[in-house]
Amino acid sequence: MDLKNAVVLITGANRGLGLAFAREALARGARKVYAGARDPSTVTLPGVQAIKLDVTNAADVAAAAALATDVTLVINNAGIAALGGFLDADAIESAQRHLEVNLYGSLRVAQAFAPVLARNGGGALLNVLSVASWVNGQPLGLYAMSKSAAWAMTNGLRHDLRAQGTQVLGLHMGFVDTDFTRGIDAPKSTPQDIVVQALDGLEAGAQEVLADAVARQVKQGLSANPAVYLLPRG
């Protein structure tokens, strides 16, 4: 898919990866960028159209699809990540919060915009995932569970949308230098680096992008013996 003259909708576009996606889409010649955020007043990037879009709110998603009828690329970027494991006292509640945003929110957006993409020639859907789609453990066990589910959803949507000509791309990466990872002592990619890899892959027709060395190593480790997801994690 060519970003030049594309019409792009990005969820969670007010900061972090979403903001980087908006900047890069404009730099590549997108004709219009809809920047979705729960509070559109927090979208301050010049050249984008801010829209109210809480992916957990069905009415917001429907209103966005009714407004942005010219969209040719949807970037499902909005997500949450909280520390916690499966045996924590609040594990069920935390799992529900993660799934509501990271899985059901992305699915709501995909369902609402699939007809829009079809009417506009097929276009593309990019789902922001993670290496946590493939490996799990403390301190991000519940987050990883939600991303595993989102990966499965992405793979299913790829088949569901093939007939209408929609390219579906899953984006995997390790830690990215955003607000959430500020206190995590680990190697991190910049949002710009991840976004460039993602959009390069999209424009090349890719269905999956492994945007950093960590993602490539983990993907390779899925078929190792023992598999990477069986190894102890801390």
Side-chain angles (χ1 to χ4, degrees):
M1 178 181 185
D2 191 350
L3 267 292
K4 188 174 182 181
N5 294 320
V7 178
V8 185
L9 178 129
I10 305 163
T11 67
N14 56 329
R15 61 180 183 171
L17 271 179
L19 177 58
F21 269 118
R23 285 179 173 145
E24 186 64 17
L26 291 173
R28 295 188 185 215
R31 177 162 55 88
K32 186 187 297 184
V33 174
Y34 294 100
R38 289 185 177 186
D39 179 359
S41 70
T42 61
V43 176
T44 58
L45 179 67
V48 303
Q49 181 175 336
I51 61 173
K52 184 178 186 300
L53 182 51
D54 177 351
V55 300
T56 70
N57 185 314
D60 273 12
V61 175
L67 170 70
T69 58
D70 49 352
V71 164
T72 59
L73 168 61
V74 173
I75 300 178
N76 258 327
N77 166 75
I80 63 169
L83 301 179
F86 297 102
L87 301 182
D88 293 351
D90 66 343
I92 297 297
E93 292 79 8
S94 182
Q96 289 171 332
R97 289 192 298 271
H98 281 87
L99 290 168
E100 186 60 38
V101 179
N102 298 348
L103 177 64
Y104 303 133
S106 292
L107 180 54
R108 282 189 192 92
V109 171
Q111 286 182 327
F113 278 93
V116 176
L117 294 174
R119 289 193 296 269
N120 294 324
L125 172 69
L126 191 162
N127 285 344
V128 176
L129 303 171
S130 168
V131 295
S133 304
W134 301 320
V135 292
N136 200 309
Q138 289 280 19
L140 292 168
L142 299 170
Y143 166 78
M145 180 184 72
S146 71
K147 286 298 186 179
S148 293
W151 179 46
M153 176 192 69
T154 300
N155 293 334
L157 283 171
R158 187 174 295 114
H159 299 300
D160 291 345
L161 297 176
R162 182 172 287 118
Q164 70 176 44
T166 299
Q167 176 186 357
V168 176
L169 186 151
L171 172 63
H172 297 270
M173 65 283 179
F175 288 121
V176 183
D177 191 10
T178 62
D179 291 345
F180 172 72
T181 64
R182 188 162 294 149
I184 296 176
D185 183 17
K188 302 170 191 174
S189 300
T190 68
Q192 177 66 15
D193 285 345
I194 298 300
V195 163
V196 166
Q197 292 291 320
L199 295 184
D200 282 352
L202 185 78
E203 292 194 306
Q207 298 182 83
E208 183 173 78
V209 168
L210 311 180
D212 59 14
V214 172
R216 292 186 287 273
Q217 291 165 3
V218 171
K219 182 65 180 293
Q220 186 176 22
L222 294 178
S223 58
N225 187 18
V228 66
Y229 53 83
L230 297 176
L231 300 176
R233 298 181 61 79

